[in-house]
């Protein structure tokens, strides 16, 4: 699988599903089923369509799809979402997990561009502060990379 930032369906309604669709090119239905399977494998049960999912679940989804995550965890004071985005123009595909202490959010960025609920499923330049994300700080970021060729072959054979 090639991980990269892609446009998504604008009506997904979940930041986690939007992020997973944006980095994989898969549908929200496919990603919802994968998340359900991950939780089921752990012996729990969730609805396919949720507005939020646990970070451990979306991280596992990326890994099951063949991605490797390299994380950075921020200590206090955590950078604001806006300051982190303005200081990061990496060409790496990065998953950003944020929170304001009450609501959590996750999205994907690459080269200063984002796909998120406010982009209507499109890849856009980071627009600056978004009202709904006011007060969000970056808790952690994860660079998504693809496995070496031999790892990809193992994954492909396992999927057959």
């Amino acid at each position: 699988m090639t991980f990269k930032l892609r446009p998504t369906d604008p009506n997904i309604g979940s930041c986690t599903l939007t992020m997973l669709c944006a980095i994989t090119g898969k549908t929200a239905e496919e990603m919802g089923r994968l998340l359900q399977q991950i939780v089921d494998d752990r012996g729990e049960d969730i609805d396919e369509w949720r507005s939020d999912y646990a970070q451990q679940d979306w991280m596992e989804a990326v890994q099951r799809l063949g991605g490797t995550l390299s994380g950075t965890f921020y200590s206090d004071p955590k950078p604001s979402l806006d300051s982190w985005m303005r200081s990061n123009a990496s060409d790496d595909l990065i998953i950003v997990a944020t929170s304001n202490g009450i609501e959590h959010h996750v999205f994907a960025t690459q080269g200063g561009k984002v796909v998120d609920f406010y982009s209507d499923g499109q890849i856009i330049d980071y627009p600056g502060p978004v009202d709904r994300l006011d007060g969000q700080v970056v808790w952690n970021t994860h660079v998504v990379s693809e496995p070496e060729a031999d790892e990809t072959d193992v994954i492909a054979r396992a999927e057959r």
Side-chain angles (χ1 to χ4, degrees), residues 23-36:
I23 68 172
T24 65
K26 295 188 177 292
T27 67
E29 290 81 11
E30 291 171 304
M31 294 295 87
R33 284 192 302 271
L34 177 58
L35 288 165
Q36 275 187 313

PDB file of all heavy atoms in Angstrom, residues 23-36:
ATOM      1  N   ILE A  23      -5.089   8.949   4.184  1.00  0.00           N
ATOM      2  CA  ILE A  23      -3.730   8.429   4.021  1.00  0.00           C
ATOM      3  C   ILE A  23      -3.675   7.109   3.255  1.00  0.00           C
ATOM      4  O   ILE A  23      -2.613   6.720   2.785  1.00  0.00           O
ATOM      5  CB  ILE A  23      -2.983   8.300   5.365  1.00  0.00           C
ATOM      6  CG1 ILE A  23      -3.576   7.214   6.253  1.00  0.00           C
ATOM      7  CG2 ILE A  23      -2.928   9.644   6.072  1.00  0.00           C
ATOM      8  CD1 ILE A  23      -2.757   6.912   7.494  1.00  0.00           C
ATOM      9  N   THR A  24      -4.839   6.425   3.115  1.00  0.00           N
ATOM     10  CA  THR A  24      -4.843   5.116   2.460  1.00  0.00           C
ATOM     11  C   THR A  24      -5.566   5.089   1.120  1.00  0.00           C
ATOM     12  O   THR A  24      -5.311   4.205   0.303  1.00  0.00           O
ATOM     13  CB  THR A  24      -5.513   4.054   3.350  1.00  0.00           C
ATOM     14  OG1 THR A  24      -6.903   4.380   3.507  1.00  0.00           O
ATOM     15  CG2 THR A  24      -4.825   3.947   4.700  1.00  0.00           C
ATOM     16  N   GLY A  25      -6.519   5.998   0.923  1.00  0.00           N
ATOM     17  CA  GLY A  25      -7.338   5.954  -0.283  1.00  0.00           C
ATOM     18  C   GLY A  25      -8.487   4.970  -0.175  1.00  0.00           C
ATOM     19  O   GLY A  25      -9.245   4.775  -1.119  1.00  0.00           O
ATOM     20  N   LYS A  26      -8.646   4.348   0.985  1.00  0.00           N
ATOM     21  CA  LYS A  26      -9.734   3.393   1.199  1.00  0.00           C
ATOM     22  C   LYS A  26     -10.997   4.143   1.626  1.00  0.00           C
ATOM     23  O   LYS A  26     -10.940   5.301   1.993  1.00  0.00           O
ATOM     24  CB  LYS A  26      -9.328   2.357   2.239  1.00  0.00           C
ATOM     25  CG  LYS A  26      -8.178   1.472   1.768  1.00  0.00           C
ATOM     26  CD  LYS A  26      -7.927   0.340   2.709  1.00  0.00           C
ATOM     27  CE  LYS A  26      -6.837  -0.584   2.206  1.00  0.00           C
ATOM     28  NZ  LYS A  26      -7.201  -1.340   1.025  1.00  0.00           N
ATOM     29  N   THR A  27     -12.137   3.449   1.587  1.00  0.00           N
ATOM     30  CA  THR A  27     -13.403   4.079   1.939  1.00  0.00           C
ATOM     31  C   THR A  27     -13.612   4.081   3.452  1.00  0.00           C
ATOM     32  O   THR A  27     -12.983   3.311   4.184  1.00  0.00           O
ATOM     33  CB  THR A  27     -14.595   3.333   1.302  1.00  0.00           C
ATOM     34  OG1 THR A  27     -14.691   2.027   1.900  1.00  0.00           O
ATOM     35  CG2 THR A  27     -14.438   3.224  -0.207  1.00  0.00           C
ATOM     36  N   ALA A  28     -14.537   4.919   3.896  1.00  0.00           N
ATOM     37  CA  ALA A  28     -14.886   4.963   5.317  1.00  0.00           C
ATOM     38  C   ALA A  28     -15.468   3.622   5.761  1.00  0.00           C
ATOM     39  O   ALA A  28     -15.227   3.193   6.894  1.00  0.00           O
ATOM     40  CB  ALA A  28     -15.879   6.099   5.581  1.00  0.00           C
ATOM     41  N   GLU A  29     -16.208   2.962   4.884  1.00  0.00           N
ATOM     42  CA  GLU A  29     -16.764   1.649   5.224  1.00  0.00           C
ATOM     43  C   GLU A  29     -15.638   0.645   5.475  1.00  0.00           C
ATOM     44  O   GLU A  29     -15.682  -0.119   6.442  1.00  0.00           O
ATOM     45  CB  GLU A  29     -17.695   1.147   4.119  1.00  0.00           C
ATOM     46  CG  GLU A  29     -18.989   1.918   4.011  1.00  0.00           C
ATOM     47  CD  GLU A  29     -18.851   3.242   3.240  1.00  0.00           C
ATOM     48  OE1 GLU A  29     -17.797   3.494   2.599  1.00  0.00           O
ATOM     49  OE2 GLU A  29     -19.798   4.044   3.304  1.00  0.00           O
ATOM     50  N   GLU A  30     -14.628   0.639   4.611  1.00  0.00           N
ATOM     51  CA  GLU A  30     -13.501  -0.277   4.789  1.00  0.00           C
ATOM     52  C   GLU A  30     -12.748   0.017   6.090  1.00  0.00           C
ATOM     53  O   GLU A  30     -12.394  -0.896   6.839  1.00  0.00           O
ATOM     54  CB  GLU A  30     -12.527  -0.179   3.613  1.00  0.00           C
ATOM     55  CG  GLU A  30     -13.078  -0.711   2.312  1.00  0.00           C
ATOM     56  CD  GLU A  30     -12.174  -0.411   1.137  1.00  0.00           C
ATOM     57  OE1 GLU A  30     -11.846   0.775   0.906  1.00  0.00           O
ATOM     58  OE2 GLU A  30     -11.788  -1.378   0.445  1.00  0.00           O
ATOM     59  N   MET A  31     -12.516   1.292   6.349  1.00  0.00           N
ATOM     60  CA  MET A  31     -11.774   1.665   7.554  1.00  0.00           C
ATOM     61  C   MET A  31     -12.600   1.405   8.813  1.00  0.00           C
ATOM     62  O   MET A  31     -12.070   0.992   9.836  1.00  0.00           O
ATOM     63  CB  MET A  31     -11.338   3.128   7.494  1.00  0.00           C
ATOM     64  CG  MET A  31     -10.324   3.430   6.390  1.00  0.00           C
ATOM     65  SD  MET A  31      -8.730   2.603   6.609  1.00  0.00           S
ATOM     66  CE  MET A  31      -8.998   1.030   5.836  1.00  0.00           C
ATOM     67  N   GLY A  32     -13.922   1.615   8.725  1.00  0.00           N
ATOM     68  CA  GLY A  32     -14.797   1.318   9.861  1.00  0.00           C
ATOM     69  C   GLY A  32     -14.791  -0.165  10.199  1.00  0.00           C
ATOM     70  O   GLY A  32     -14.725  -0.547  11.366  1.00  0.00           O
ATOM     71  N   ARG A  33     -14.817  -0.999   9.157  1.00  0.00           N
ATOM     72  CA  ARG A  33     -14.762  -2.453   9.386  1.00  0.00           C
ATOM     73  C   ARG A  33     -13.418  -2.864   9.988  1.00  0.00           C
ATOM     74  O   ARG A  33     -13.367  -3.714  10.883  1.00  0.00           O
ATOM     75  CB  ARG A  33     -15.029  -3.214   8.088  1.00  0.00           C
ATOM     76  CG  ARG A  33     -16.500  -3.233   7.698  1.00  0.00           C
ATOM     77  CD  ARG A  33     -16.798  -4.223   6.585  1.00  0.00           C
ATOM     78  NE  ARG A  33     -16.028  -3.973   5.365  1.00  0.00           N
ATOM     79  CZ  ARG A  33     -16.412  -3.172   4.378  1.00  0.00           C
ATOM     80  NH1 ARG A  33     -17.561  -2.520   4.460  1.00  0.00           N
ATOM     81  NH2 ARG A  33     -15.668  -3.014   3.307  1.00  0.00           N
ATOM     82  N   LEU A  34     -12.336  -2.260   9.519  1.00  0.00           N
ATOM     83  CA  LEU A  34     -11.015  -2.581  10.068  1.00  0.00           C
ATOM     84  C   LEU A  34     -10.938  -2.190  11.541  1.00  0.00           C
ATOM     85  O   LEU A  34     -10.461  -2.966  12.375  1.00  0.00           O
ATOM     86  CB  LEU A  34      -9.919  -1.879   9.268  1.00  0.00           C
ATOM     87  CG  LEU A  34      -8.486  -2.070   9.793  1.00  0.00           C
ATOM     88  CD1 LEU A  34      -8.109  -3.545   9.855  1.00  0.00           C
ATOM     89  CD2 LEU A  34      -7.508  -1.289   8.924  1.00  0.00           C
ATOM     90  N   LEU A  35     -11.431  -1.018  11.887  1.00  0.00           N
ATOM     91  CA  LEU A  35     -11.422  -0.596  13.289  1.00  0.00           C
ATOM     92  C   LEU A  35     -12.289  -1.510  14.148  1.00  0.00           C
ATOM     93  O   LEU A  35     -11.909  -1.855  15.268  1.00  0.00           O
ATOM     94  CB  LEU A  35     -11.869   0.865  13.414  1.00  0.00           C
ATOM     95  CG  LEU A  35     -10.852   1.889  12.907  1.00  0.00           C
ATOM     96  CD1 LEU A  35     -11.512   3.245  12.728  1.00  0.00           C
ATOM     97  CD2 LEU A  35      -9.656   1.984  13.827  1.00  0.00           C
ATOM     98  N   GLN A  36     -13.437  -1.914  13.611  1.00  0.00           N
ATOM     99  CA  GLN A  36     -14.280  -2.863  14.346  1.00  0.00           C
ATOM    100  C   GLN A  36     -13.535  -4.166  14.592  1.00  0.00           C
ATOM    101  O   GLN A  36     -13.608  -4.744  15.681  1.00  0.00           O
ATOM    102  CB  GLN A  36     -15.561  -3.169  13.561  1.00  0.00           C
ATOM    103  CG  GLN A  36     -16.656  -2.176  13.773  1.00  0.00           C
ATOM    104  CD  GLN A  36     -17.931  -2.633  13.094  1.00  0.00           C
ATOM    105  OE1 GLN A  36     -17.913  -3.053  11.935  1.00  0.00           O
ATOM    106  NE2 GLN A  36     -19.035  -2.559  13.805  1.00  0.00           N
TER     107      GLN A  36
END
